[in-house]
Amino acid sequence: MLDGRINDVRGRTSGASSVWRAPGMPALLGSTALGFAGTALLMPVAPLWVLDGGADELGAGAVNAVMMLCTVIAQLLVGRVLGRLGWRWTLTLGACLLGAPAPAHLLTDDVWAVTALAAVRGLGFGIVTVCGAMGVAVLVEPARRGRAVGAYGLAIAAPQFLLIPIAPWLAERVGYWLVFMLAVVPLLAIPLALPVARALRTSDRPTADPARPGKRRDAAGLRRVLAGPIAALLAITSAGGAVLTFTPRLDPDPTTVYLALLVFTGTSALCRWAFGGFADRRGAAPAIAPLLFVGAAGLAAIGVGTARGPDMAGRVLLIAGMLVVGVAYGGLQNLTLVHAFAAAGEESRSSVGTAWNVGFDAGTGLGALAVGAVATSTSYPVSYAVLAVVTALVGLGWAGSRWRGAKGCRESSG
């Protein structure tokens, strides 16, 4: 009863203020931004480090793939960790695991050692991502969730926009040591854990959804409603994993690589924020299939541009493809999460937050590993062609399910 009154008051009082100023949101967004800053610095640089040390593309792809695998493992365990440690110490643990291993890269460029460091970082990243998504769902009421997810997405995308393009450039022009030392930045999020925990009113207590009227979905029903948005998320984050891992190898010119990553991260940051308002006004589902087709077109352009080689036309296609993929990558991150929350219901928001983050990071790791494997045996253009086809097929599947659902509604109403 008390939880219900708290949420009623929150719903009445927070509607007039910005989601950015909701209690606990500034600290949660700051913590998220610092965590993703450390990840953004190493996502393109750790694979480049092992490539320069003599590894092949498959080994380089394995670095980020293992990080994402450990991220997924951690995400599946976050609920239990929160139950034992509470929000404050769980967030602190995530920041330590994510930031502390970064300087150890200076000791070796051996692919196995760097992969082991990536595994530790992945555990911290899994904690940070699930806590962020769950926290947003609790701190802001459903009527403004699209904008709240947009703000959360901007906290994720802004450090990626600023750091992913510059990190490989800094590594090659200044030195890897600078990137590895800067990547301890998640440790700065430790002081923010306390205000986040206070705002969520679960400090040092197990996390749980408030008791609400209505029936919680069973596991089968939850899997059924989440299958569509998670499939769309897997497709686009596989593309993102490939872009973030291998763009520094697509062109020999560091300036071209910088511009390509800048365009990709900048566009995705803008679209992740912009699609929040769209989702609140129009709903998330109608835009998912079109954005998957947009992503497929962008991936095809990247493949063609890479196949042409480092001439003007090839570089224009590469950068244009990055822009188009960035639109789909940013927009679908927002829309799939908002749609998943809406389809599953408030009682399942913790499960949705975990499932969405698992899908996001599994797709990122799968894209890095798959493109590395295909590029090792064939070429980068073939890898991007495969990604484009898979993304388009998922778009067709989503459009078909929407059409069948609309047809069923018309027939039942008739």
Side-chain angles (χ1 to χ4, degrees), residues 157 160-166 243-244 247 254-272 298 301-302 315-331:
Q160 293 179 328
F161 169 62
L162 295 172
L163 298 175
I164 286 176
I166 200 67
V243 167
L244 296 174
T247 296
T255 302
T256 300
V257 170
Y258 171 79
L259 288 174
L261 287 172
L262 186 72
V263 165
F264 173 75
T265 55
T267 305
S268 64
L270 178 63
C271 289
R272 189 159 187 176
I302 292 172
R315 285 170 172 162
V316 168
L317 277 171
L318 173 64
I319 292 173
M322 291 286 182
L323 186 149
V324 174
V325 174
V327 171
Y329 185 70

Side-chain angles (χ1 to χ4, degrees), residues 356-382:
W356 186 89
N357 277 288
V358 167
F360 184 101
D361 295 312
T364 302
L366 181 63
L369 188 62
V371 167
V374 175
T376 298
S377 58
T378 56
S379 65
Y380 283 117
V382 173

Side-chain angles (χ1 to χ4, degrees), residues 17-297:
S17 64
S18 167
V19 294
W20 297 90
R21 295 194 296 272
M25 280 290 283
L28 180 67
L29 297 177
S31 176
T32 298
L34 290 167
F36 273 82
T39 305
L41 284 163
L42 294 184
M43 184 70 77
V45 168
L48 196 60
W49 179 238
V50 299
L51 284 168
D52 285 353
D56 61 14
E57 278 75 9
L58 181 58
V63 172
N64 283 344
V66 168
M67 179 187 172
M68 292 300 107
L69 173 62
C70 291
T71 297
V72 169
I73 292 171
Q75 288 166 340
L76 295 173
L77 299 174
V78 167
R80 295 180 184 178
V81 177
L82 279 168
R84 290 181 176 272
L85 301 181
W87 281 91
R88 179 185 180 184
W89 296 111
T90 300
L91 285 167
T92 299
L93 176 63
C96 291
L97 291 172
L98 186 54
H105 289 81
L106 292 169
L107 301 176
T108 179
D109 58 8
D110 176 73
V111 65
W112 294 107
V114 173
T115 301
L117 292 173
V120 177
R121 293 190 295 112
L123 295 175
F125 191 53
I127 293 172
V128 169
T129 52
V130 169
C131 287
M134 289 172 60
V136 167
V138 174
L139 293 173
V140 179
E141 74 281 1
R144 298 189 301 159
R145 187 159 290 156
R147 280 163 285 179
V149 170
Y152 174 67
L154 199 58
I156 292 172
Q160 293 179 328
F161 169 62
L162 295 172
L163 298 175
I164 286 176
I166 200 67
W169 187 91
L170 285 174
E172 295 185 347
R173 295 298 177 91
V174 180
Y176 284 96
W177 64 270
L178 178 60
V179 178
F180 294 145
M181 295 308 297
L182 289 173
V184 302
V185 67
L187 297 177
L188 298 178
I190 292 174
L192 299 175
L194 181 57
V196 172
R198 285 175 174 168
L200 293 166
R201 302 177 184 273
T202 55
S203 181
D204 298 318
R205 297 197 307 273
T207 183
D209 286 339
R212 298 171 185 266
K215 184 179 179 180
R216 183 186 295 269
R217 287 183 181 273
D218 59 23
L222 190 60
R223 285 195 297 269
R224 189 164 52 252
V225 299
L226 292 181
I230 298 302
L233 182 68
L234 280 168
I236 201 62
T237 54
S238 294
V243 167
L244 296 174
T245 301
F246 292 110
T247 296
R249 303 292 287 186
L250 297 185
D251 194 285
D253 177 27
T255 302
T256 300
V257 170
Y258 171 79
L259 288 174
L261 287 172
L262 186 72
V263 165
F264 173 75
T265 55
T267 305
S268 64
L270 178 63
C271 289
R272 189 159 187 176
W273 164 248
F275 274 92
F278 174 89
D280 285 341
R281 293 190 304 271
R282 305 284 299 275
I288 290 178
L291 281 177
L292 286 167
F293 295 134
V294 167

